[in-house]
Amino acid sequence: MVHAYILIQTSVGKSVDVSAAIGDIQGVTRVDAVTGPYDVIAMVEANTVDELGKLVLSQIQLIPNITRTLTCPIIHL
């Protein structure tokens, strides 16, 4: 299982709408609106890195008012 944080920038005033839409996606385990350089942070899980990429590209990035994402896979040292 692959876990990652997705850091998301949104259009001004749209973080609540984006958070709600992301929360409905299968594989998203947590969504938080935050302050700072990013507006929303989502924790996601997928079976493989390829599935993680597909989740981000074909579902999360297609949500209206998302302007940028940064995917941070979790590693275990």
Side-chain angles (χ1 to χ4, degrees):
M1 186 69 66
V2 178
H3 295 89
Y5 292 104
I6 311 297
L7 310 178
I8 301 159
Q9 292 177 336
T10 68
S11 301
V12 175
K14 296 299 183 179
S15 60
V16 172
D17 296 337
V18 168
S19 295
I22 291 172
D24 291 336
I25 296 173
Q26 184 176 6
V28 175
T29 58
R30 182 178 174 138
V31 181
D32 293 300
V34 297
T35 61
Y38 294 94
D39 304 302
V40 176
I41 297 177
M43 180 179 242
V44 300
E45 63 183 15
N47 290 320
T48 66
V49 173
D50 287 340
E51 284 184 17
L52 174 63
K54 289 176 186 175
L55 173 70
V56 173
L57 294 174
S58 67
Q59 294 186 56
I60 292 176
Q61 287 185 346
L62 295 181
I63 293 172
N65 296 305
I66 289 181
T67 59
R68 183 178 207 133
T69 64
L70 176 65
T71 303
C72 303
I74 297 171
I75 60 170
H76 301 281
L77 301 174

